[in-house]
Structure formats: C-alpha cells, structure tokens
C-alpha cells in the first residue's frame, strides 16, 4: 500500500585450567581462551558516599577492556555457583539472581563450563557445557548463548544487560527452566496419511509440534518422561507461546495425534520459505478449513498462526465486500482514485502517488488504489469494518480453536483517521497468514470455515462460525475483483502460470522503523486458498506472491 503523510504509520577454544585457577588472556578487542572458574572477588568494590558523589557517571562507548572484564566477571561467578556475584555483574541483580538460582535448583544444571567467543559491539557469544541430573539419571547439556555489556543507568558502570535469553536463548523474560516429570506426555504427530511428523523432517513445524503436545499430551494416551523444559511466564502465555522441551532425560510413552497436514504440500511450503528468515505461509482447503501446510522461515516463532501484523492491502478484500454490500462500490461503476485523500487530519496517498482518472472500482482494486477505499470513510460508521470482519469472515472474535495456539485477527472499532487507515489494512488491524488465507477461502467457498489443524472429532471441540454469508451478488463481484487482479492487476506477475479458477490480492504494510514494508499476498485456486507474508520484504507481489503462487502450483 502507499504511505500516508502528515501523521505517523569463534573461534571457540576449550578452557585452560591450571591448578584450579583460571588462565585469562585479554588481547585487543577479543577474548583469549579461558575457563571461567575461580580467582578473584566478584563483589562490587565498596566506595564511600562522598567519593561516589564526586565521581562523574561514565559515558561514551564501552572499551574492549570493559566488555571483556565485565563478561569475565559474570561468567566466572556463574560458573563458580556464586549467584549473588554473577547477579551483581548485571543491570538487574534481582531478576538475574532469581533466574540463576533456578538454573541450579529447579533446572538441576551442574558442572557448568563456559567458553566465551570473540566480542563484537559489546556482544559476547559463549558456549555452555553442563550436566542435567535428576535422581539417578544424568545427561550432558550443550548450547550456545550470548550476553551484551552496556552502561548501567545512573553511574554508567559496565554491566551485563539482563534478559532471560542470556541463560538460554529459548527463554523469554519471565520464563524459567525446570527439570522434572514432564507436565504433559509426549505426542507423536501424524500427517493426514498417517506418517509421523518430526521437526527433523519439517523444521518449520517445531513450534507446531510443541503446541500439539501442550494441547493433546494429556488426551492422547501417553505417559510423561523426565525432561528439562522451558516453563513459560505470564508474558509468553499471553502471546500463546508453548512450553518447550530442551533435553529429554528419560523417555515417556507418546500418544498419537493425527493432523490435516499434507506431507507433499508441507515439503513444498518448507522449500519456499527456506533461507527466508522472515517469510511465513499457510495453505488451506477452502471448502473445509483443513490446514494442508504451514511454514515459517524463522523457526523460533509461529508467525503463520500467531503473528499479529498489519495486513496492508490484502485487507481490501474484506473492505471491498463491505463497500459492495453498502452500495458504495460496484465492479464496473466509476469510482474515485485521486492521488490524495484527507480524512480525520491525515493525508493518505497511493503508491508513487498514482491516480486513476474515470476508472472503475475493479480497476482501483486491481491496482490497489488506497484512496479509492479511504474516500468512502465519510460514508461509514466506526464499527462497520469490525462487524463485516466478524459477521462474514469470522475474524477478530477470539474463539478459533485450531488445535494449536493461534491468533484469529484483530479489527478494532476505531474512529477518524485510524478508522480510515483500517480500510486499507493499517490502523489497528492485525492479521497473520492463517487469517488471510481464511479470507481468500471464504471468498472462494462462499462461507467462512474456521481453519483447523486437528479435526474437531478428535477431542469434541467446537469450531468458530460466522453469523452470516455474503449475498450471491456481492460474492460474485468479489470473486470477479480477485480474479481480475490475478490476471491483470498487481498479482498478475506472481500468479502467471497458476491457471484455473484463481483469484488474488497483494498488500504492503508500512511499519514504523522499517525501511521496507511487510509484503503480503493472499490467493485461491480451485478449492485451495493460501496467504503469506515476508516481513521487511517490500511489495507483496514481488515477495510473498511467488511463495504463495508456487504452493498453489504444487498443489496442482
């Protein structure tokens, strides 16, 4: 979409320990090889109040010596089991002390050895080797992490910037590590053909498998084992992030859960996002809502299901259906598409400030004219788009039950300029590829079918429903708009070669602080619907479009 103006949218080396005392070498900006163990106090040097008051707070860039000394102090104390000393080397001693205490007592991690890497811009990577012990069972633990040295607020002293991820990269602030009997038994996830799904085979599905275990572990008939796992805190739970197993000390007996995933299509989706760290895509069966494939280029978060991003002009599919129903637009009727349109104190414009003179609504939709939609804001009530999204497309109701954690979109009631921005997928509107694939599926099938990964018959849960469907006339016009866009509009290049009964819509969503917008694309072909996003990618037709189109082609 266009922009608006006048308002804001190791070298690793094994430790060298001599007689129980650490050998430390500091050379230039890098760490020498050392084992962080023993030697020296880690407590703050006592200073008189008068002396402290006279000192000036340190400022300016950190020196190499400050970075290496601070990192050494923290890691040495932590390795020794001096939790208070390690915490004192951070900028949040209380928070650090709690988590580091839990690392030894709750996670039961012992015999820890840290090996730092080469610092860069205050960041110091380090490897961890340790043992996790529970009862008579013990297993080695190895992983990589990193810390960052910053100047502490107030006095400017160098300290480790405290975040839970320093302890383990899988931790978010508020999370903790626990070793014990698993809270839920393991599950064996199966694809629609009955073959086992693993993260080794499908790397994108790691977070999905975590979600399946959390939802069905106690229902699928398995028995728990003993494991080291991440137990999520309030903030993570609010974001619907699942607990995660880091190390299995003793195996449980898995239960079995069958999903709707198609192995061939899942493989194709994995291939499309491989090497694209910020790309996500979802493929659905339009007539049922079955999720056939889901993939995320960055495997740490399931953006495809849980992302909350402005969808840009792909939201115009929902807005167009509303305008047609309200007789504010019709495919072949003349419709304004000026260079600019001001509303609520904001001045909106089209990409590259284009305009369409004497054009139809179909032409504006196909070219993704922002002002064609914004110009209708004066004719709308503040809750019109919210009601359309909920009543027809099943969005923003917070009641989807997919089978794993998901976000079913947000279309809040807004007024003035933010309401106008919502019409083009900005303002307060938030979606993810699952939501936008469902939008395309609703257009193709004629009715909303809540997407699902696990059939409701497995656990008797109820799927979300929409309160009404579009009229036959509105639906026919909306399909014509998407079909024309796929053939002749902004989606044409990506959809070339897809063939058949196809429709599409592109989108770009500006995000404050990003040089490039997020690129979106949603489309259908036959009984299949898909959507994808490439964050910080640029125009949707150039970034997400080829990913979605390739999936539809693979699906035949």
């Amino acid at each position: 979409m266009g922009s608006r103006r006048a308002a804001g949218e190791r070298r690793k080396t094994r430790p060298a320990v001599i007689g129980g005392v650490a050998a430390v070498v500091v050379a230039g900006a890098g760490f020498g090889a050392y084992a962080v163990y023993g030697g020296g106090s880690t407590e703050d040097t006592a200073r008189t109040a008068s002396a402290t008051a006279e000192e000036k707070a340190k400022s300016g860039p950190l020196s190499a010596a400050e970075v290496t000394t601070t990192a050494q102090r923290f890691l040495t104390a932590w390795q020794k089991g001096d939790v208070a000393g390690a915490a004192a080397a951070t900028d949040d001693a209380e928070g650090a002390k709690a988590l580091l205490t839990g690392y030894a007592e709750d996670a039961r991690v012992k015999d820890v050895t840290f090996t730092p890497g080469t610092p860069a811009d205050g960041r110091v990577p380090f490897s961890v080797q340790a043992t996790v012990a529970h009862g008579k069972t013990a297993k080695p633990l190895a992983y990589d992490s990193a810390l960052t040295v910053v100047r502490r607020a107030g006095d400017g002293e160098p300290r480790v910037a405290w975040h839970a991820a320093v302890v383990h990269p899988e931790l978010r602030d508020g999370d903790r590590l626990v070793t014990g009997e698993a809270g839920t038994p393991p599950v064996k996830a199966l694809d629609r053909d009955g073959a086992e799904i693993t993260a080794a085979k499908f790397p994108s599905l790691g977070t999905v498998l975590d979600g399946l275990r959390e939802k069905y572990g106690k229902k699928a008939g398995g028995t728990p084992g003993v494991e080291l796992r991440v137990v999520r805190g309030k903030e993570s739970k609010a974001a619907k992030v699942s607990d995660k197993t880091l190390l299995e000390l003793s195996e449980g007996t898995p239960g079995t859960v069958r999903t709707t995933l198609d192995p061939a299509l899942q493989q194709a989706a994995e291939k499309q996002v491989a090497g694209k760290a910020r790309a996500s895509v979802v493929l659905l069966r339009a007539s049922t809502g079955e999720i056939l494939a889901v993939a995320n280029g960055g495997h740490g978060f399931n953006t495809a299901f849980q992302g909350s991003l402005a969808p840009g002009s792909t939201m115009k599919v929902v807005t167009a259906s509303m305008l047609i129903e309200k007789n504010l637009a019709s495919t072949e009727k003349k419709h304004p598409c000026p260079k600019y349109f001001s509303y609520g104190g904001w001045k909106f414009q089209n990409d590259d400030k284009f305009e369409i003179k004497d054009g139809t609504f179909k032409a504006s939709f196909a070219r993704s004219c922002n002002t064609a939609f914004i110009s209708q804001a004066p004719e709308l009530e503040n809750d019109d788009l919210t009601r359309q999204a909920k009543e027809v497309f099943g969005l923003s109701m917070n009641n989807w039950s997919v089978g794993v954690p998901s976000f079913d979109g947000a279309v809040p009631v807004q007024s003035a300029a933010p309401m106008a921005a919502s019409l083009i997928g900005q303002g307060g509107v938030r979606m993810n590829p699952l939501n936008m694939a469902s939008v395309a599926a609703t257009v193709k099938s004629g009715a909303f079918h809540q997407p699902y990964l696990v059939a409701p018959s497995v656990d008797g849960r109820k799927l979300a429903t929409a309160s009404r469907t579009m009229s036959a006339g509105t639906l026919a016009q909306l399909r014509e708009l998407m079909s024309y866009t796929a053939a002749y509009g902004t989606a044409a290049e990506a959809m070339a070669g897809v063939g058949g009964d196809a429709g599409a819509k592109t989108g770009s969503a500006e995000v404050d602080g990003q040089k490039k917008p997020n690129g979106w694309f949603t489309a259908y072909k036959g009984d299949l619907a898909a959507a994808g996003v490439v964050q910080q990618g640029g125009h949707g037709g150039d970034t997400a479009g080829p990913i979605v189109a390739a999936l539809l082609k693979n699906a035949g």
Side-chain angles (χ1 to χ4, degrees):
M1 74 159 238
S3 59
R4 54 173 167 74
R5 295 292 180 265
E9 229 190 35
R10 212 170 33 161
R11 183 186 73 174
K12 296 184 180 178
T13 309
R14 297 303 308 140
V17 179
I18 303 173
V21 179
V24 181
V25 179
V26 178
F31 276 91
Y34 68 86
V36 283
Y37 184 83
S41 169
T42 58
E43 297 297 330
D44 280 327
T45 302
R47 294 178 293 179
T48 65
S50 59
T52 302
E54 292 174 0
E55 292 176 358
K56 291 184 177 180
K58 294 181 179 180
S59 62
L62 289 160
S63 67
E66 286 177 311
V67 173
T68 55
T69 301
T70 303
Q72 175 195 343
R73 174 187 171 193
F74 171 73
L75 294 173
T76 299
W78 184 9
Q79 181 167 307
K80 286 170 57 182
D82 180 6
V83 169
T90 74
D91 62 359
D92 180 6
E94 184 178 348
K97 185 175 181 179
L99 193 55
L100 294 175
T101 298
Y103 189 76
E105 297 180 359
D106 299 329
R108 307 192 185 199
V109 183
K110 64 178 186 177
D111 302 331
V112 185
T113 300
F114 302 107
T115 303
T118 303
D121 298 323
R123 183 178 184 273
V124 181
F126 61 92
S127 64
V128 182
Q129 289 193 332
T131 300
V132 181
H134 185 275
K136 296 181 179 180
T137 304
K139 278 194 173 183
L141 174 69
Y143 61 93
D144 293 324
S145 190
L147 60 85
T148 301
V149 179
V150 297
R151 292 205 180 280
R152 181 170 58 188
D155 60 9
E157 290 291 331
R159 291 291 186 270
V160 173
W162 184 250
H163 291 286
V166 173
V167 172
H168 195 288
E170 290 290 347
L171 290 172
R172 295 180 169 205
D173 290 343
D175 298 348
R176 60 194 181 97
L177 293 173
V178 174
T179 294
E181 185 176 279
T184 54
V187 297
K188 180 186 290 186
L190 307 179
D191 62 31
R192 65 190 302 110
D193 298 330
E196 184 176 2
I197 298 168
T198 66
K201 185 177 181 180
F202 301 118
S204 275
L205 295 181
T207 53
V208 172
L209 295 173
D210 292 338
L212 287 171
R213 178 177 179 177
E214 184 175 285
K215 175 77 173 178
Y216 296 101
K218 293 180 180 179
K219 303 175 183 179
T223 57
V226 175
E227 62 187 23
L228 168 66
R229 68 184 184 277
V230 177
V231 177
R232 300 299 181 184
K234 292 182 180 179
E235 291 185 11
S236 294
K237 289 180 179 177
K240 297 183 178 180
V241 180
S242 302
D243 290 358
K244 186 174 185 67
T245 299
L246 300 179
L247 180 68
E248 193 174 58
L249 279 74
S250 64
E251 293 185 358
T253 303
T256 300
V257 178
R258 187 183 288 267
T259 72
T260 57
L261 293 174
D262 181 293
L265 295 178
Q266 180 62 35
Q267 192 67 58
E270 298 271 345
K271 181 179 179 181
Q272 286 302 313
V273 302
K276 304 178 183 73
R278 303 182 69 83
S280 300
V281 67
V282 172
L283 179 69
L284 306 174
R285 189 175 302 284
S287 61
T288 62
E290 295 168 273
I291 298 169
L292 303 177
V294 51
N296 296 283
H299 304 150
F301 181 68
N302 188 3
T303 301
F305 284 3
Q306 295 175 263
S308 178
L309 305 167
S313 293
T314 55
M315 189 65 184
K316 290 174 183 174
V317 176
V318 178
T319 307
S321 72
M322 175 186 67
L323 296 180
I324 293 169
E325 283 189 343
K326 290 181 174 295
N327 294 318
L328 295 174
S330 182
T331 54
E332 301 300 339
K333 285 185 178 180
K334 292 287 191 293
H335 198 90
C337 175
K339 289 182 180 180
Y340 308 101
F341 192 88
S342 296
Y343 186 77
W346 291 4
K347 185 177 182 180
F348 297 87
Q349 68 180 46
N350 298 317
D351 189 27
D352 294 330
K353 302 176 185 179
F354 75 82
E355 64 180 331
I356 302 175
K357 296 181 178 180
D358 298 321
T360 62
F361 184 60
K362 183 163 70 173
S364 290
F365 186 94
R367 195 169 173 185
S368 205
C369 176
N370 294 327
T371 58
F373 292 81
I374 300 294
S375 66
Q376 304 308 303
E379 308 300 321
L380 299 172
E381 300 295 331
N382 290 336
D383 65 345
D384 279 344
L385 185 64
T386 303
R387 290 177 56 191
Q388 188 77 4
K390 289 182 176 182
E391 294 174 2
V392 176
F393 293 90
L395 298 164
S396 193
M397 298 192 296
N398 197 31
N399 64 351
W400 287 18
S401 185
V402 173
V404 295
S406 67
F407 170 66
D408 60 330
V411 188
V413 176
Q414 296 183 290
S415 61
M419 182 274 278
S422 295
L423 301 176
I424 57 174
Q426 298 271 184
V429 176
R430 295 293 180 267
M431 297 288 162
N432 54 49
L434 179 66
N435 307 145
M436 296 316 300
S438 179
V439 167
T442 298
V443 176
K444 181 62 186 72
S445 68
F448 168 69
H449 299 283
Q450 188 224 280
Y452 62 88
L453 185 70
V454 177
S457 59
V458 170
D459 53 357
R461 72 189 190 283
K462 185 178 180 180
L463 301 184
T465 58
S467 61
R468 65 184 180 88
T469 59
M470 288 175 278
S471 68
T474 298
L475 184 60
Q477 288 194 59
L478 198 56
R479 288 172 177 168
E480 182 180 349
L481 291 175
M482 292 188 70
S483 176
Y484 186 78
T485 303
Y488 305 106
T490 56
E493 184 174 351
M495 292 293 283
V498 171
D501 176 19
K505 183 69 188 79
T506 61
S508 301
E510 295 179 354
V511 179
D512 288 342
Q514 286 186 192
K515 291 183 178 180
K516 291 184 177 182
N518 294 337
W520 286 84
F521 199 92
T522 186
Y524 62 78
K525 174 195 173 185
D527 193 28
L528 301 174
V533 62
V534 177
Q535 297 180 62
Q536 301 184 47
H539 291 95
D542 302 327
T543 57
I547 295 173
V548 170
L551 266 188
L552 294 175
K553 290 176 185 177
N554 268 286

